Amino acid sequence: MTEKEKNKNRFFLILVAALGYFVDIYDLLLFLIIKNKSLTALGVPAGRITATGLNLMNWQMAGLLIGGVFWGMLGDKKGRLSVLFGSILMYSLANIANGFVNSIPMYAALRFIAGLGLAGELGAGITLVSESMSKEKRGYGTMMVAGIGLSGAVAAYLVGDHFEWRTAFFVGGALGIILLLLRIGVFESGMFHAMTKKEVSKGNFMMLFSDRKRFFKYLNCILIAVPLWFVVGILIGIAPDFGKALNARDALDNGKGVMFAYIGISLGDFLTGALSQVFKTRKKIVFVFLTLTFCTMLFYLFNTGWTASGFYTLCLLFGIFTGYWVVFVTMAAEQFGTNLRATVTTSAPNMVRGSLILVTLLFQWLLGSMGIIKAALCVGIITVGLAYIALYNLDETYGRDLDFIEE
């Protein structure tokens, strides 16, 4: 294969992975955007909508948590492409089925199944791109995947806002099926092919726990990104409740807030990805943007009288500063050998998403005794503090050769 043909294949791989992540984010954020509308239509009393919505979100996150482990192991055992095909088929069918729900238990079950499917998309795509590009340009490839993919949140808001909520789910399912056809031309990773010929343990999730150093490296990879989901799931996800506590002058629309946040995250992914390449460091870029995220949390919680425009501007800034997501995923891929890379790169982002269950439980537990603002402040300090410690303990991975095996 000529170099021109290799570059063409890499471009197509990045495009397909980016479009796959676009559909992934569309589904993942669609529920946050239309949950109030859908729950009202299903007859949930106004006073129960917030609690019911958080419960359903936890079911989705549980699916992501379990699916991250399943698809990650499958990716190292059977190949990255098997995950790409299987995961998108599952969440596309679950999306379509979501459009037919008529009860909360059914809604919960389908959000769990959708979560299972969604769990495989990002990790498999990032693993394929990371293993297919040179170590000097790898960051640009993963930057394009995450940056383009995250714009799916904008599509989710526009469709969710302008169409009936059931139609919005049908659109997501249709997009997934169309994408499935595009994936036919994607090639498997050369590193994976070379690894299959070696007598090593592949996709063994327990290897992450059998060695103390490896376990803490995996845990640290997860902890550096937990603040992002606290911001999206709590600070923006239940914005109407924060608006009341902060004496907002306008109603704060959490759906529109999520859209602006993900526009920001998309911009932030391009920015942090490029900066990590220009300055040849992953860790320092994450440190700077994590610090900016924490400062923005404090600004949000210590100010009152928010206007709608002010809140949406804040959400955009939240997004830009938490846009180190792409660097986090790239670091996870670069930390581990080929026989565990898909397992880690697929499970770590979903462990982060799944951590929202614990974050939500902690937040709800503190809510009763401290009130919404102090509870959010405490959870924010805890998540950011743990992220700083985790980042300090991780190795710098810029320019690392990925052709190695975990023994």
Side-chain angles (χ1 to χ4, degrees), residues 193-212:
H193 277 311
M195 186 264 293
T196 57
K197 300 172 184 177
K198 299 177 181 178
E199 293 297 322
V200 294
S201 179
K202 307 174 183 72
N204 182 356
F205 186 66
M206 296 313 296
M207 281 182 68
L208 295 171
F209 303 91
S210 61
D211 179 85
R212 185 176 181 274

Side-chain angles (χ1 to χ4, degrees), residues 7 10-15 17-18 21 122 125-126 128-149 266-282 285 323 326-331 333-334 397-400 402:
N7 288 334
R10 290 188 192 110
F11 172 79
F12 184 66
L13 171 60
I14 292 170
L15 177 64
Y21 193 36
L122 176 62
I126 291 292
L128 264 173
V129 171
S130 296
E131 293 179 342
S132 301
M133 298 187 70
S134 69
K135 60 185 180 181
E136 293 81 14
K137 296 181 179 179
R138 184 187 307 138
Y140 290 120
T142 56
M143 172 189 76
M144 294 298 293
V145 172
I148 294 171
S266 184
L267 294 172
D269 274 334
F270 283 113
L271 180 60
T272 57
L275 289 174
S276 74
Q277 290 296 119
V278 171
F279 291 101
K280 296 180 172 54
T281 175
R282 312 286 192 221
I285 298 304
V326 65
V327 182
F328 143 69
V329 180
T330 305
M331 284 179 69
E334 293 172 336
T397 58
Y398 174 83
R400 176 175 288 182
L402 298 188

Side-chain angles (χ1 to χ4, degrees), residues 148-346:
I148 294 171
L150 285 165
S151 59
V154 180
Y157 174 76
L158 294 175
V159 174
D161 189 52
H162 291 90
F163 293 91
E164 201 262 342
W165 66 274
R166 295 182 187 274
T167 303
F169 278 125
F170 294 146
V171 170
L175 287 172
I177 297 298
I178 293 169
L179 181 63
L180 196 62
L181 300 176
L182 282 177
R183 291 225 162 113
I184 294 173
V186 178
F187 294 92
E188 184 58 87
S189 159
M191 284 187 192
F192 174 78
H193 277 311
M195 186 264 293
T196 57
K197 300 172 184 177
K198 299 177 181 178
E199 293 297 322
V200 294
S201 179
K202 307 174 183 72
N204 182 356
F205 186 66
M206 296 313 296
M207 281 182 68
L208 295 171
F209 303 91
S210 61
D211 179 85
R212 185 176 181 274
K213 183 178 179 181
R214 191 183 292 138
F215 167 72
F216 279 105
K217 182 165 62 173
Y218 178 62
L219 180 62
N220 289 331
C221 283
I222 294 166
L223 289 174
I224 62 172
V226 172
L228 187 153
W229 272 93
F230 167 66
V231 168
V232 174
I234 302 294
L235 297 185
I236 299 175
I238 57 172
D241 299 284
F242 280 103
K244 292 175 184 176
L246 295 170
N247 299 314
R249 284 180 270 173
D250 302 316
L252 305 184
D253 184 338
N254 61 305
K256 190 175 289 187
V258 167
M259 180 192 73
F260 278 105
Y262 270 81
I263 292 173
I265 293 173
S266 184
L267 294 172
D269 274 334
F270 283 113
L271 180 60
T272 57
L275 289 174
S276 74
Q277 290 296 119
V278 171
F279 291 101
K280 296 180 172 54
T281 175
R282 312 286 192 221
K283 287 183 65 172
K284 290 178 182 177
I285 298 304
V286 172
F287 176 81
V288 170
F289 279 77
L290 178 61
T291 302
L292 291 171
T293 297
F294 184 58
C295 291
T296 311
M297 285 183 192
L298 298 179
F299 183 73
Y300 177 42
L301 296 173
F302 283 113
N303 276 279
T304 57
W306 284 98
T307 62
S309 60
F311 172 69
Y312 302 137
T313 302
L314 181 85
C315 290
L316 183 67
L317 291 174
F318 260 139
I320 292 172
F321 299 150
T322 56
Y324 66 87
W325 177 258
V326 65
V327 182
F328 143 69
V329 180
T330 305
M331 284 179 69
E334 293 172 336
Q335 293 281 347
F336 293 85
T338 309
N339 57 322
L340 273 180
R341 187 165 298 124
T343 299
V344 170
T345 312
T346 305

